[in-house]
Amino acid sequence: MPRVRDLLYRFRPSGAPGAATAAGVPVDHAARLAAELDTVFARLADTEQECAALLAEGRRRSEEIRRRDEERVRSLVAGAEVRAESERAAAATATRDAGRADTTAVREAADRGAADLATRARAGFPEYLAGVEQAVNAMLAAGARPEGREEEPP
């Protein structure tokens, strides 16, 4: 849209100040320049449309790549969650098995210790019993009663 100044510029005198001459309207230089550039811009219209098409295609492809990558990330995360759960279960099983092995080893050691103690007790029991028997016989021979015992009524 031409400015007011451009419209008024058309009606300026065509010659230098001085004697009167034939009246005329000067050539519109802005319009002439615009007309020259119209052909250049007309030739660039195809290139501009091609650029717009390339830009639209680039945006479409980038959106497609983004969606594909988002799906890939979701798939990776889901797979990682599944693997993490199976790894947790495997670790729990390994820990439980190790605990059972430790418990079994401790139980076997305790059983061996108890068996050893029972063997030693059985080995020393006849001597202990003989000692108790001697002590009781000695007390009976001396006429003594065991402490804390009173004579039983007949």
Side-chain angles (χ1 to χ4, degrees):
M1 168 133 190
R3 299 181 307 204
V4 174
R5 180 173 170 229
D6 295 334
L7 291 173
L8 293 176
Y9 186 72
R10 288 182 178 183
F11 298 105
R12 73 175 176 79
S14 63
T21 61
V25 177
V27 177
D28 186 2
H29 295 290
R32 185 177 53 84
L33 293 174
E36 286 178 23
L37 292 176
D38 281 344
T39 57
V40 173
F41 289 136
R43 289 182 181 166
L44 289 175
D46 292 339
T47 305
E48 192 175 317
Q49 287 176 352
E50 186 179 338
C51 288
L54 286 173
L55 184 61
E57 177 65 18
R59 286 183 178 144
R60 185 193 63 75
R61 287 181 64 196
S62 70
E63 184 63 27
E64 180 183 312
I65 289 169
R66 186 187 61 76
R67 277 194 300 267
R68 185 182 64 225
D69 288 347
E70 282 178 354
E71 183 60 35
R72 183 171 175 233
V73 166
R74 278 191 221 102
S75 174
L76 287 173
V77 167
E81 288 173 351
V82 168
R83 283 191 305 276
E85 187 60 36
S86 68
E87 289 297 324
R88 276 190 215 103
T93 300
T95 302
R96 187 173 41 248
D97 291 346
R100 285 180 181 155
D102 289 347
T103 301
T104 301
V106 168
R107 184 176 293 145
E108 288 173 355
D111 289 345
R112 284 191 304 272
D116 185 44
L117 184 61
T119 301
R120 284 187 289 146
R122 274 189 235 110
F125 191 70
E127 293 173 10
Y128 178 73
L129 193 55
V132 169
E133 185 180 357
Q134 276 181 342
V136 169
N137 286 336
M139 285 173 44
L140 288 175
R145 293 190 191 103
E147 288 184 29
R149 292 249 179 183
E150 295 180 17
E151 195 173 314
E152 293 182 17

